[in-house]
Amino acid sequence: MTQILVLNSGSSSIKYELIDMAGPQTRAAGLIERIGEPMSTLTHEAQGRQLRIERPMSDHREGLTAMAEAFEQTIPVRAGALTAVGHRVVHGGDRFAQPAVIDDAVLDAIRDCIPLAPLHNPANLLGIEVAMQAYPDVAHVAVFDTAFHQTMPESSFRYAIDRATADAHRIRRYGFHGTSHAYVSRAAAAFLGRPVAQTNTITLHLGNGASACAVRGGVSIDTSMGLTPLAGLVMGTRSGDIDPGALIHLLNMGLDLGDLDTLLNRRSGLKGMCGHNDLREVHAASARGDRSAASALDVYVHSIRHYLGAYLVELGTLDAIVFTAGVGENDPVVRARVCAGLESLGIEIEASSNEAARGPSDVADIATAASRVRVLVVPTNEELEIATQSLEAVG
Ligand code: ADP
């Protein structure tokens, strides 16, 4: 059996999934939360059996010990039964266009990207180091959120600021959600029965974080997130695009850097505009007559259509628009509004199939028969993509 353990380590959490690649199927999955707090929890599910461990876990090492116990009590992972451990790493800078089998040089390179992702990369590194001690005889692979977008041309990734400053501080567009954009663009091509290399898609990853990607022939040529995951689309609590001059103005008005960070990351997006970051709550508030919720939804949809239009022009020809992640997979209202009035561009949604596609387990085509561009709802699976890329990396 070829099994890959996928780990996504945050500062106080570890998400994990054990995948049997023959299926492929999930053998076990779990989440360790509130590491370092007085009470930590692990929730674990393995083939229908659920398990919960509540006790203080002071660090990631104790978290992984609890994970090993959960495996032991449900589906023991024998020594030698793992082919690789795949780690999600948020920022690979411009060093990684592919997943990398982790050695000291790779660890150094991930460390070198900490200034670009000060919240994420240290936690990812910690998870890797602890897991390498827990599973010393297995290959560990780093799979980067940024890697898929390393194919962007310079016209897409370069910001028009002083070249020396940009280069000295590595200021450019990197893009994120790469594993998801890679997975759904390939799944879309497979669904359409076309070679990936001859398929153009615009992938819309709409979760709490959100990004759009223009994919030409399986390759990312542009994406909406930038140096950081703050840019681009309106998100649950993040602003997306904003005039950088507004930030200078706010600094002049007396806000400090911490205030700006909180404003843009936590008090913006849907939450900032109407008090709710969950689309279900935004719809409910709007239905109750809450004007700020209705307007927040308008701004949200406008930002997606803005990128849709831009990427349609960049690609020239388009085979499919792909909706994915929490909102994309579940929200027919957002999908209908994003695609409304685009019949002259060959994009037309079929109302009943759009309504029916709520959390589909497989790809759903929601375009009319006449629509030249297919509109697909594709459930993303970042864990499976990390496992697949890890397996490829270890050969
Ligand atoms: P994350 O970015 O945290 O991984 P997800 O991709 O799981 O997020 O998306 C979470 C978001 O998806 C929620 O905040 C909510 O806005 C949206 N969502 C989930 N289910 C639904 C639903 N049934 N209808 C509309 N939106 C939904």
Side-chain angles (χ1 to χ4, degrees):
M1 190 188 286
T2 304
Q3 295 190 116
I4 311 280
L5 176 64
V6 176
L7 293 182
N8 182 352
S9 306
S11 56
S12 65
S13 70
I14 302 173
K15 212 173 147 192
Y16 62 87
E17 189 163 328
L18 180 68
I19 302 179
D20 172 8
M21 299 306 287
Q25 94 188 55
T26 298
R27 299 202 70 225
L31 176 65
I32 307 161
E33 291 174 285
R34 292 188 289 283
I35 295 170
E37 290 183 30
M39 188 53 75
S40 317
T41 57
L42 175 148
T43 44
H44 176 94
E45 184 172 337
Q47 296 175 328
R49 291 176 58 198
Q50 273 154 23
L51 190 94
R52 189 178 167 86
I53 298 175
E54 278 189 52
R55 67 168 186 244
M57 300 171 205
S58 65
D59 55 19
H60 284 60
R61 192 180 321 276
E62 292 185 10
L64 285 194
T65 303
M67 178 186 78
E69 285 171 31
F71 277 123
E72 204 49 48
Q73 290 175 39
T74 51
I75 46 160
V77 183
R78 293 179 320 280
L82 276 184
T83 306
V85 181
H87 296 268
R88 176 188 183 214
V89 179
V90 166
H91 221 306
D94 59 7
R95 305 276 286 272
F96 297 99
Q98 302 289 337
V101 177
I102 301 172
D103 56 15
D104 286 344
V106 170
L107 286 174
D108 282 345
I110 297 172
R111 215 167 277 127
D112 189 48
C113 292
I114 287 178
L116 296 171
L119 297 180
H120 292 103
N121 272 33
N124 300 156
L125 260 177
L126 185 61
I128 291 171
E129 283 164 347
V130 169
M132 287 180 88
Q133 285 164 10
Y135 301 95
D137 303 322
V138 181
H140 290 253
V141 181
V143 179
F144 300 90
D145 274 16
T146 46
F148 183 60
H149 304 298
Q150 279 297 302
T151 46
M152 284 189 292
E154 187 169 354
S155 52
S156 295
F157 74 68
R158 180 167 288 280
Y159 292 130
I161 61 169
D162 169 66
R163 190 176 287 267
T165 306
D167 293 349
H169 297 284
R170 296 184 276 174
I171 307 295
R172 50 158 285 179
R173 182 187 306 282
Y174 293 98
F176 299 87
H177 289 143
T179 48
S180 180
H181 290 297
Y183 178 83
V184 299
S185 57
R186 256 193 271 119
F191 177 83
L192 298 173
R194 296 174 62 100
V196 178
Q198 288 163 29
T199 308
N200 289 357
T201 53
I202 296 173
T203 50
L204 300 170
H205 178 109
L206 309 176
N208 228 333
S211 66
C213 183
V215 185
R216 174 182 286 147
V219 163
S220 169
I221 61 160
D222 206 352
T223 191
S224 57
M225 283 177 166
L227 173 80
T228 73
L230 250 181
L233 306 179
V234 172
M235 308 184 211
T237 65
R238 284 176 246 160
S239 61
D241 292 339
I242 177 173
D243 175 0
L247 310 181
I248 298 170
H249 177 68
L250 287 172
L251 288 173
N252 273 332
M253 290 290 116
L255 271 70
D256 65 20
L257 285 178
D259 296 335
L260 274 192
D261 186 24
T262 307
L263 173 71
L264 297 171
N265 278 301
R266 296 183 209 284
R267 291 178 43 226
S268 291
L270 292 167
K271 177 101 176 170
M273 289 187 286
C274 73
H276 308 285
N277 63 297
D278 190 308
L279 250 302
R280 288 163 290 197
E281 290 168 28
V282 178
H283 289 310
S286 176
R288 288 194 303 271
D290 180 336
R291 296 275 299 275
S292 69
S295 128
L297 196 57
D298 291 344
V299 176
Y300 179 83
V301 168
H302 175 269
S303 81
I304 301 169
R305 286 169 66 91
H306 177 91
Y307 277 94
L308 188 61
Y311 292 169
L312 199 58
V313 172
E314 278 188 53
L315 288 168
T317 61
L318 180 64
D319 297 298
I321 296 169
V322 177
F323 285 94
T324 194
V327 180
E329 292 169 35
N330 290 289
D331 195 327
V333 175
V334 166
R335 294 190 302 243
R337 290 194 54 185
V338 166
C339 296
L342 304 182
E343 293 80 4
S344 66
L345 298 172
I347 301 164
E348 192 178 12
I349 275 192
E350 217 266 311
S352 59
S353 17
N354 181 36
E355 272 302 318
R358 292 171 189 262
S361 57
D362 214 340
V363 179
D365 187 344
I366 60 169
T368 61
S371 182
R372 189 165 37 75
V373 175
R374 306 318 299 165
V375 182
L376 306 178
V377 179
V378 182
T380 193
N381 193 337
E382 291 167 272
E383 288 74 23
L384 178 58
E385 180 65 22
I386 290 172
T388 305
Q389 292 194 19
S390 299
L391 186 59
E392 283 168 11
V394 298

